[in-house]
Amino acid sequence: MSPEAALPQLAILQFLTSLQSPARILVAISGGSDSTGLLLLLDEAVKAAPHLKISLCAATVDHALRAGSADEARQVAVLCASLGIPHIIMIWQGDKPKTGIMAAAREARYGLLATAANDFKADLIVTGHTFDDQRETLAMRGMRTEQVSTGIADAVLFDRRFWILRPLLFSTRADIRAFLKERGVPWIDDPSNEDMKYERVRTRRQLSADAGAERNIRAAWEERLALSTKGAEWLDRHLTLHGGLLGQVMPDGLRQDRAVLDYVLARLAAIFGGRPFVPGRGQMERVLTFATGSGLGRMTAGRVVFDLRRDGLYLARESRGISPLVLRRGEAGVWDGRFGAVNRSGTTIGVEAQAGHSLIPVFVTGIQPPRVGAVNDSTMREESPAPKDLGALDSCDEHRNEGGLGRALPKGAWRRAIASAPVIFAKGDLLSPESAGAIELTPYFAPFDRFLTRFDFIFANRLSAVFATAPYARLPLRSIDGKTI
């Protein structure tokens, strides 16, 4: 996982020695040269070092998007059997979307790999992404933004469950193919890799004529890690959370380093707005100019209302455009990109926004609503009908989750937050406290809970503490680039 260890064999050796052991690795293999090389490199290295106590299993995802994909998956199964590596074929079932097929296939692929990892009792997943993939990604992102990109991350936590690691990210496809040719092992060429309708293929063709285009990826990674660390410290010092719904940035927090403020506010906007991506560069420039200016007022960006007052900047989800979520018994889902819901009751439920209802919202696990006297407003004087186990945990003073501390809040800001709060229904009626006890409702962080890069891990983990939710799973590594972690 270091540029100095670019040769595939050295990269794999460094990767294995950095792992916490014992470990079971699920190898994602499509049959292409990169993933086939990854499997063989790991197999040779693991067999040569039994003292590392590392075992392998493998999975092939058949997206069922073209003729021949099933036969290719079976070829991979034969290869794995010849190496004595347990293997499973995971098929993407159901109808495929007409647009955004690449993004949908990526979501399906990682979901199926996570299922396979769970079935194999694997500790982590590895993929065969190479330096060629990295260059293509950097080039594509560079066409969309002037910001320095970190490109493909070497470690990503998927669905809070499994770390996906990419040990060949600094090795070239040419070196991997040379290794396979030395071993006399063929690979499958996916025809979609030559289809010019895909942006990545077009970018690849352009890069082949400009092989000298390189980026200092490690420097970008270090910069992002430093921002994550400083952002976590900023959360501790400058952010107060009210009722799990309303964020308050203290005035001094708006006078901090602009790069840190940009990093933090962009991610808070994604959290409160329920979006997997931070606002665009233009939107964030307007937000920063507004937040650090002298004038008070409100603006909306990324589905978030930014309300600047004398006692700080308040952030809440705007109450428009919030779609309901319907869950049958036993089902789980994500509502508005902000709350994960699990229905363990005996009936179908719906989750909707408080806006337009006279009912009191159900507050989420681990978060206390402000005391009824916090705001002099008759609509807030009733007590929540939420069961005792919803919001039963004490607020965490250390992380400034001050719901229930009686702090006076601006009426407009709190009303706005309440309007975007979740209300749970069964057959059109509010659930009884007894039935609501079977519903699990917890904060969901849209930019982190599905895909969390290691660069944002420190910040995201501190954010979990602020919202009083479970911490993220730690990296299954003892070291990165030879540095102990």
Side-chain angles (χ1 to χ4, degrees), residues 7 65 105 108 153 169 180 184 204 206 231 247 257 293 297 342 347 349 397-398 435 473 476:
L7 286 177
L65 293 173
L169 201 51
L180 289 174
R204 185 177 301 141
Q206 294 169 356
D257 178 81
V342 181
T347 186
I349 66 164
D397 293 345
E398 180 184 354
S435 298

Side-chain angles (χ1 to χ4, degrees), residues 39 67 131 183 190 240 250 280 299 306 329 357 394 437 465 479 484:
L39 183 75
F131 192 62
R183 301 300 189 273
D190 184 344
T240 300
M250 300 304 173
M299 72 169 291
F306 294 84
R329 60 182 181 179
H357 297 292
D394 290 334
S479 62
T484 301

